[in-house]
């Protein structure tokens, strides 16, 4: 029984996933998701957080949810290993340092994984990443979780760039603004404006609100 | 590693879950969810379907989704058992017969589980049932899955009764009808009407459509 963590963030406007380079067989030198075997007396959530921190130095006190459990008999060449995958989202973070077992860790743009632009991940991790990304894209429609990608305080343009990066589309700013502000307490004004960047006008700053669902939803098909 | 199945159906207007009576330790004679240990070369989905059929005679070719994986170290008194729970929904079914290992199987109204009206399920199955019911209630808001509870062809009143039973509320028929028909292809008229029952007018009959999401959603808070 193992856990694997799909940790997503936004870097330079691109959706990125945290990967480590394995330094032991099988798949030695391959890039893979952080994770590993669950301890005998460890619950699954705690194991996911522990292994993420040990292998990448990243600590996530925030949003961490079960993604799916992968149990195909042949998914690990050694023996039967069922993996419980977790999904987490964090605001922009620096490149991580090496893990406690010496693995390299880095952010990789999701769209660059696989040939010709990037590595093919070990095991069935390409599928786990794809499932995690689709879960995130879908939850952006109905939940306020996009704000979890933003460092507070943030502008509505910052929030819009999360949607644009995750969905790979351009969104109409006034339409986006109208829909976001239609859900009470999705975002809350902090009563200050941003410093103008690049000659733009200062923009209202927000923090995360307490809404748990978006009414109306922000649907990929209708933006 | 085990699998457990939360199989929900509607019987006499009530949301019911399929349970079996255990005939071995631990929790001998307790009612529990159908399920058991995953075979060495068996994938998780296949194992869930197999154990459901072996223990209850029920075959679900239809909707079966992973619900959550339960891994608290103390959840089974024998040894560490991590359970992958599945959720399935079926139209009204007869009471099942005994399973291949002689267990009794029956439908139990979800609201009657636990004292004083019904049994306390074995292991952490009360929590698994609660999670499955909440998942179903929530998915009724955004997906067409309520129609999976209905035998085809069905009327809009049949469909409404699914929502009413699952949510434990009464819904306004004209408002419900308007919202359901707003989503293209949620339900499709079959071009016939029902036989009048109890002096009512005949009602248009429908089958399930191909929509995958409801626009607009049917929200518990706004009905």
């Amino acid at each position: 029984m193992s856990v694997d963590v799909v940790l997503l963030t936004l870097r330079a406007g691109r959706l990125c996933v945290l990967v480590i380079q394995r330094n032991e067989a099988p798949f030695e030198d391959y890039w893979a998701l952080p994770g590993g075997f669950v301890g005998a007396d460890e619950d699954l959530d705690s194991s996911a957080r522990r292994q993420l921190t040990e292998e990448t130095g990243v600590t996530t006190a925030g949003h961490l949810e079960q993604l799916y459990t992968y149990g195909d008999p042949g998914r690990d060449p050694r023996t039967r290993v069922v993996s419980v995958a977790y999904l987490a989202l964090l605001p922009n973070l620096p490149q991580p340092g090496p893990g406690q077992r010496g693995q390299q860790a880095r952010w990789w743009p999701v769209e660059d994984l696989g040939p010709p632009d990037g590595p093919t991940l070990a095991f069935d991790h390409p599928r786990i990443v794809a499932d995690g990304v689709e879960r995130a894209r879908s939850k952006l429609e109905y939940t306020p979780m996009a704000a979890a990608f933003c460092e507070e305080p943030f502008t509505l343009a910052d929030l819009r760039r999360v949607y644009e990066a995750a969905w790979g589309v351009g969104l109409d700013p006034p339409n986006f603004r109208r829909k976001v502000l239609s859900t009470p307490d999705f975002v809350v004004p902090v009563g200050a404006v941003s410093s103008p960047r690049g000659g733009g006008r200062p923009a209202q700053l927000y923090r995360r609100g307490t809404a748990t669902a978006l009414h109306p939803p922000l649907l990929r098909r209708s933006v």
Side-chain angles (χ1 to χ4, degrees), chain A:
Chain A
M1 169 70 50
S2 69
V3 291
D4 289 302
V5 180
V6 180
L7 179 57
L8 299 176
T9 196
L10 217 66
R11 292 174 61 83
R14 305 189 72 189
L15 190 66
C16 295
V17 61
L18 186 62
V19 288
I20 60 149
Q21 192 166 29
R22 291 177 58 82
N23 55 10
E24 57 184 4
F27 291 101
E28 188 167 359
D29 296 331
Y30 275 67
W31 292 88
L33 295 172
F37 293 108
V38 179
D41 296 317
E42 194 174 43
D43 70 44
L44 303 174
D45 297 25
S46 305
S47 185
R49 290 181 200 276
R50 173 180 65 79
Q51 308 219 33
L52 180 64
T53 302
E54 285 180 5
E55 295 188 338
T56 70
V58 172
T59 302
T60 168
H63 187 77
L64 184 71
E65 67 177 54
Q66 265 194 24
L67 173 60
Y68 196 79
T69 297
Y70 298 84
D72 284 352
R75 61 177 295 281
D76 189 308
R78 290 168 292 190
T79 179
R80 181 85 191 260
V81 179
V82 172
S83 178
V84 182
Y86 281 81
L87 175 65
L89 306 172
L90 286 178
N92 185 13
L93 289 171
Q95 286 290 358
Q100 288 179 17
R101 294 167 223 148
Q103 309 94 329
Q104 294 302 310
R106 60 160 290 184
W107 296 104
W108 210 292
V110 165
E111 294 301 330
D112 289 351
L113 285 172
D117 297 318
T120 297
L121 298 185
F123 305 106
D124 53 359
H125 293 187
R127 179 186 162 196
I128 299 178
V129 170
D131 289 350
V133 168
E134 176 51 32
R135 171 80 64 91
R137 285 177 175 151
S138 171
K139 290 194 82 163
L140 291 182
E141 298 187 307
Y142 293 106
T143 77
M145 93 189 231
F149 283 101
C150 296
E151 285 176 283
E152 295 179 316
F154 52 86
T155 67
L156 292 183
D158 294 332
L159 189 66
R160 193 183 74 243
R161 281 189 281 270
V162 172
Y163 281 91
E164 292 176 334
W167 290 348
V169 296
L171 300 179
D172 176 60
N175 194 32
F176 178 81
R177 173 191 176 82
R178 182 178 55 76
K179 286 193 176 177
V180 167
L181 297 180
S182 296
T183 294
D185 231 20
F186 177 9
V187 296
V188 179
V190 298
V193 295
S194 65
S195 306
R197 281 178 289 197
R201 288 178 303 172
Q204 184 74 47
L205 289 167
Y206 295 86
R207 60 175 172 79
R208 300 173 200 117
T210 56
T212 56
L214 303 188
H215 306 295
L218 284 154
L219 302 174
R220 276 173 279 186
R221 70 174 68 182
S222 66
V223 292

